[in-house]
Amino acid sequence: MVRRLRFNGTGSGDDGCPSVHEDLDSGEVIVHGPPLTDPEDVARLRHLGEGEVPIVVPRALLVDWGPKDMTREAKIIDLDGFGRLFTQFEHTAWRLETRRRYASDETTETYAQFTRGESVDWNERDSEWCANRREQAALGKRIERVRIVDSPPTNGQLYLLDNARRNSAVGERIMNLRRAEADQLNLPSEDFWLFDSRMVALLMFDDADNLTGVELITEPAEVVRYSMVRDAAMHHAVPYEEFAAGLAVKE
């Protein structure tokens, strides 16, 4: 079975070697770098088994990018606590949306209108949510999202593409990225918010696509990894208007 590997980071800004990856299923760590080749050095190693290859990596690579605190207890907050994060952040809130559907969308009247083929009027919908976004934008805060879209898009993804008009109207910046391109970039399948580049809110869903809880992550190396995901996604994503226009031409 092919391993599900996650790139943690590299100690080199030039050629990407040496680097650390993590097996998401087993928790094993894969490190690659230049081999230790001097016969005298190799002869000094203890317990070097047949087929094993010694490699040399800077100590800082393991300090910065080796998985830490494997036994830590996850910090889970409820949805009310999650909502308060959108008034407490200071500068930026950024989201990656990767799922094919969100159960909460499908309970709304706007979703029913959309699936009936009616034009949805997004003005003043969900007023408490809109008021919060307008308030944060007025304070100079930046709220952005990149939404991953399949080919062909699911109904839920098409709904969110139309819904982006509301997000944009209250001060959010919405971008889209095709899933094939996201896979090429090795973006994760996780849904998360990144607040002020210092705290990650990892969204947890059940098998029916309901949001059930949120895990807060503040470990610096993990936050940097999610920040790298944001940078890659933002670099390749396009504004939702441009993305929607491209879909219309394709149809």
Side-chain angles (χ1 to χ4, degrees):
M1 180 179 295
V2 178
R3 291 178 182 262
R4 290 197 308 132
L5 297 181
R6 180 179 71 187
F7 173 70
N8 281 13
T10 179
S12 172
D14 299 322
D15 57 11
C17 177
S19 298
V20 173
H21 292 75
E22 186 176 355
D23 188 315
L24 295 179
D25 297 314
S26 69
E28 294 175 307
V29 178
I30 294 89
V31 181
H32 67 79
L36 183 69
T37 56
D38 187 288
E40 293 187 6
D41 291 334
V42 173
R44 293 172 180 267
L45 298 178
R46 298 186 182 186
H47 309 296
L48 183 65
E50 183 178 356
E52 294 181 343
V53 179
I55 64 172
V56 181
V57 299
R59 179 182 294 272
L61 177 72
L62 301 181
V63 172
D64 292 341
W65 298 112
K68 301 173 182 65
D69 199 11
M70 296 294 289
T71 60
R72 71 176 174 87
E73 183 176 349
K75 183 178 180 181
I76 307 298
I77 62 173
D78 59 23
L79 299 187
D80 288 337
F82 174 56
R84 287 192 290 273
L85 295 180
F86 291 92
T87 61
Q88 296 169 349
F89 77 99
E90 297 182 17
H91 307 292
T92 60
W94 185 88
R95 171 142 184 216
L96 181 68
E97 295 185 14
T98 64
R99 302 181 69 83
R100 291 173 172 84
R101 66 182 289 262
Y102 296 89
S104 59
D105 289 340
E106 298 175 8
T107 64
T108 63
E109 176 57 28
T110 53
Y111 188 88
Q113 292 174 349
F114 181 80
T115 55
R116 291 195 298 264
E118 301 173 5
S119 178
V120 180
D121 179 9
W122 294 106
N123 292 330
E124 298 303 322
R125 297 288 185 179
D126 199 4
S127 58
E128 183 177 350
W129 183 93
C130 291
N132 169 265
R133 295 307 192 270
R134 289 193 179 98
E135 180 181 348
Q136 303 311 310
L139 292 171
K141 301 180 184 181
R142 192 170 73 244
I143 305 176
E144 300 172 312
R145 306 181 193 228
V146 169
R147 288 170 168 164
I148 307 301
V149 180
D150 288 275
S151 184
T154 67
N155 286 337
Q157 291 167 350
L158 290 173
Y159 169 76
L160 288 177
L161 192 58
D162 193 66
N163 164 271
R165 293 187 287 124
R166 179 193 67 166
N167 296 65
S168 180
V170 297
E172 290 196 1
R173 182 187 183 195
I174 308 298
M175 312 279 283
N176 287 95
L177 184 66
R178 293 188 180 277
R179 190 174 300 277
E181 191 168 5
D183 291 342
Q184 291 176 351
L185 295 170
N186 293 318
L187 298 187
S189 59
E190 300 156 307
D191 260 51
F192 66 90
W193 279 94
L194 175 64
F195 294 98
D196 294 326
S197 298
R198 68 173 183 82
M199 179 175 63
V200 175
L202 184 62
L203 307 187
M204 305 161 61
F205 295 85
D206 61 19
D207 292 339
D209 299 303
N210 294 293
L211 178 63
T212 58
V214 178
E215 178 184 358
L216 295 185
I217 300 172
T218 56
E219 182 183 320
E222 282 290 280
V223 173
V224 168
R225 184 179 69 81
Y226 283 103
S227 298
M228 292 166 62
V229 169
R230 174 200 58 199
D231 291 348
M234 288 296 289
H235 182 75
H236 292 274
V238 299
Y240 81 90
E241 301 97 332
E242 179 181 337
F243 191 88
L247 286 180
V249 169
K250 187 175 179 180
E251 292 175 356

